[in-house]
Amino acid sequence: MIPVPSVITNGVNQAAHDLGPTIEYVYSGWLSDQMAAQFKDAIDEKPDAIAMMGHPGPEVMGPLIDEAERKGIIVTLQNVDLQNIREKYIANGFGYAGGDLYKFGLELGKGLVRKFNLKSGDEGVVLLAAALGPDGKGVGRSLMGQGDVDGLKQGGL
């Protein structure tokens, strides 16, 4: 089991205290197949809502979210958005808790250039999930890494 950062569990626990739902934590180890199987298992348990942090992408999650929505289950994503799917179901309560991952990465890359006084000709390495769109740019959870790369490039690296 991979521990979830305390800021997340503390927030979920506080929401459960304030609002009264029963919470069940399920961990996937960030394995895409495991995430999809666990989401399907959650649908089969017929909860009122499913909140998911991280996901294996729109191709996998789209049909699962469609199924959850058909069954009246509210879905909320945390940290990694699926904007097109969210917009499709927002009127049903579909939500997203998180920020703009590309912007976070971009600011991190630019901040590294400033903090370490990097300059044109210096080199950097960014490790990121290799989820690229047709334009060769990052998508999904790799958006932060793409932002890092772009921020470093803007600094001349």
Side-chain angles (χ1 to χ4, degrees):
M1 179 181 331
I2 296 175
V4 175
S6 62
V7 68
I8 294 164
T9 54
N10 290 345
V12 170
N13 291 337
Q14 186 64 52
H17 177 268
D18 293 347
L19 303 172
T22 301
I23 305 295
E24 178 184 343
Y25 292 95
V26 180
Y27 300 93
S28 67
W30 300 112
L31 301 171
S32 292
D33 290 344
Q34 181 88 359
M35 289 179 186
Q38 288 172 333
F39 195 89
K40 175 66 173 135
D41 289 345
I43 291 170
D44 293 343
E45 290 182 26
K46 301 177 182 159
D48 295 314
I50 301 171
M52 185 173 191
M53 186 169 91
H55 55 75
E59 297 80 19
V60 172
M61 292 308 299
L64 291 170
I65 291 170
D66 290 342
E67 179 182 350
E69 288 287 336
R70 278 193 309 275
K71 294 181 176 182
I73 300 168
I74 297 170
V75 177
T76 292
L77 297 177
Q78 303 163 354
N79 195 45
V80 182
D81 196 11
L82 290 171
Q83 184 176 352
N84 292 339
I85 294 171
R86 177 173 44 85
E87 289 172 357
K88 181 178 176 182
Y89 293 116
I90 199 164
N92 299 350
F94 192 104
Y96 172 63
D100 181 328
L101 295 181
Y102 177 81
K103 183 178 176 182
F104 290 163
L106 183 67
E107 292 305 316
L108 174 62
K110 290 166 38 177
L112 289 170
V113 170
R114 285 189 307 271
K115 179 176 175 97
F116 295 105
N117 200 26
L118 302 174
K119 57 192 175 313
S120 182
D122 288 342
E123 296 180 359
V125 175
V126 176
L127 303 176
L128 65 133
L132 302 177
D135 61 357
K137 296 288 187 180
V139 296
R141 62 185 177 183
S142 73
L143 283 170
M144 186 177 285
Q146 184 66 54
D148 292 338
V149 168
D150 292 348
L152 293 170
K153 283 182 177 179
Q154 286 180 20
L157 276 72

